[in-house]
Amino acid sequence: MDLLKDPDLVNELGPLLSAEAAAEAPAAGMDAADLEQAVWVRLLESGRRAPDPADPAEPARWLRRAVRAEARLARRRARREIPYDHRRTSADARHRRLTDGGPRTGAATGPAPEDALLHGEENRALRSAVARLPGRCPELMRALLSPRDLTYREIAGELGISQGSLGPVRSRCLGCLRRMLAAEVAAPGLRGRER
């Protein structure tokens, strides 16, 4: 019995998948719909076949394990990704400069000129990288970053794609953007040999 060809089984597993994803998503730090879609993608990629149609617990057990595995992957990914916020470090340095009696090069309440310059450079680099993304990613990222604060439904209608695919497409686009920016702003390499 093929899970992909049996609509009854897919319809039966849908509510279970939604419930499991809703339960695991907050701890994984991701949206339940994204987790649910990741499990469906895992099912499609694996070409999984149910071992025995007489054993209805087996597909449900596989589904629960897949949800937990995807949630673990999301938690690991979140632990590895540490955002760098230079504004915080430069604000801390400015605060130390002001409290230590050092030279006062700017108002304590407003941003320092170097912060404004760095922020502008970051925005230019980000806009440039978004424009170089492949496929529909530039359109999607512009819609997501729009000051109009569009909902997923409005973005899906504007781009002509299904609302359910926005999360995974957004995830792929952000991954591509992350890799692109990481290559441009490469961290210094390790010295010595890696073990």
Side-chain angles (χ1 to χ4, degrees):
M1 165 202 250
D2 191 352
L3 287 176
L4 301 176
K5 304 233 191 271
D6 186 2
D8 294 334
L9 191 56
V10 171
N11 290 337
E12 289 174 21
L13 292 177
L16 175 64
L17 176 57
S18 295
E20 290 288 328
E24 291 288 332
M30 67 185 300
D31 187 39
D34 288 342
L35 184 59
E36 190 174 338
Q37 190 144 10
V39 172
W40 284 124
V41 168
R42 180 182 277 229
L43 174 65
L44 288 170
E45 287 175 345
S46 71
R48 172 94 165 86
R49 296 174 89 60
D52 183 12
D55 184 11
E58 188 62 31
R61 187 177 307 128
W62 181 90
L63 193 76
R64 286 187 185 101
R65 287 180 182 162
V67 168
R68 289 187 182 96
E70 287 295 329
R72 276 193 308 272
L73 282 172
R75 282 192 295 271
R76 281 190 206 123
R77 205 175 308 118
R79 275 195 305 255
R80 286 192 310 256
E81 296 173 357
I82 302 170
Y84 173 73
D85 187 8
H86 80 277
R87 288 179 294 261
R88 181 167 178 246
T89 56
S90 63
D92 291 343
R94 187 173 57 248
H95 176 69
R96 280 193 302 273
R97 199 172 49 229
L98 292 173
T99 56
D100 293 344
R104 296 176 187 261
T105 58
T109 58
E114 62 267 14
D115 289 341
L117 177 68
L118 288 172
H119 184 65
E121 287 178 6
E122 278 181 350
N123 283 341
R124 278 190 292 282
L126 180 61
R127 281 193 302 270
S128 171
V130 166
R132 292 189 318 261
L133 286 172
R136 293 188 135 177
C137 289
E139 298 172 54
L140 176 60
M141 296 309 292
R142 277 193 293 273
L144 288 170
L145 297 172
S146 167
R148 296 184 307 172
D149 197 27
L150 301 170
T151 64
Y152 264 30
R153 178 173 287 158
E154 293 167 335
I155 293 171
E158 201 172 279
L159 298 178
I161 58 178
S162 72
Q163 185 177 347
S165 66
L166 277 179
V169 170
R170 180 204 60 190
S171 180
R172 284 190 296 273
C173 292
L174 287 174
C176 186
L177 182 63
R178 189 178 300 116
R179 286 187 300 275
M180 189 182 298
L181 290 173
E184 289 176 6
V185 186
L190 296 174
R191 296 183 186 220
R193 295 195 310 180
E194 286 187 55
R195 294 180 186 203

